[in-house]
Amino acid sequence: LIVLSGSNLAWCHPVLYQRIVKSKELNPNIKIITIDPRRTQTSDISDLHLSIRPGADAILFNGLLVWLEAAGEIDQRFVNASTEGVEQALLSAKQSSPDSETVAAACGLSVDEVEQFYGLFARTERVITVFSQGINQSSSGVDKVNSIINCHLLTGRIGRKGMGPFSCT
């Protein structure tokens, strides 16, 4: 699963975009999710385009963190060995994103779209979240990046081939 957030890769990072296109051609099982208020050329290769309200990225990823915990999708061994403060991160995420309905309303999405994204993330071992300036250069960029990283840490989807958060700035 490749999650593209905060970037129109087709225009802003064409080499990386072409590599993703080629990978999907070679392996049609690769799923791509684009998170962007606008439908761009990058959305054309996506299996799911989430047209979220501008600025709602942290709410969406905080909701994913809460959803993953509720679904039991925690790599407890990884969390125990490699993280600190998971309880505080979850409490903070629950304040803005307690459930899929709240997330959907805040992001301008349907509950089905939110849960489709969350389910794909949970069911896919290798997940990479590619983010760029639309995430990390916003006024709340640190919060947005932290929300992405927290989802990868909770599930242990970091530091191994084909998974993890990836800033392409």
Side-chain angles (χ1 to χ4, degrees), residues 26-151:
L26 294 173
N27 182 359
N29 293 323
I30 291 175
K31 299 292 183 206
I32 299 173
I33 298 173
T34 303
I35 302 169
D36 193 318
R38 304 165 299 137
R39 181 164 283 285
T40 64
Q41 184 180 350
T42 303
S43 306
D44 294 344
I45 64 167
S46 298
D47 299 285
L48 176 63
H49 173 241
L50 299 176
S51 182
I52 64 169
R53 284 197 178 99
D57 309 87
I59 292 170
L60 182 66
F61 282 98
N62 280 341
L64 174 58
L65 190 72
V66 170
W67 192 93
L68 290 166
E69 180 204 27
E73 296 289 338
I74 301 172
D75 183 335
Q76 199 63 57
R77 206 169 13 187
F78 179 85
V79 168
N80 292 342
S82 304
T83 69
E84 295 177 6
V86 69
E87 296 84 12
Q88 294 89 344
L90 285 163
L91 285 172
S92 180
K94 288 174 185 175
Q95 290 175 356
S96 68
S97 308
D99 53 52
S100 296
E101 292 78 12
T102 302
V103 170
C107 292
L109 300 169
S110 70
V111 172
D112 182 59
E113 289 173 309
V114 169
E115 293 194 346
Q116 186 177 357
F117 167 44
Y118 292 176
L120 277 169
F121 193 103
R123 288 188 312 269
T124 308
E125 176 66 18
R126 291 188 178 172
V127 178
I128 185 164
T129 303
V130 180
F131 58 95
S132 188
Q133 294 176 5
I135 295 291
N136 55 23
Q137 291 189 1
S138 77
S139 60
S140 60
V142 171
D143 294 332
K144 292 176 182 184
V145 172
N146 281 341
S147 67
I148 291 168
I149 292 170
N150 286 341
C151 295

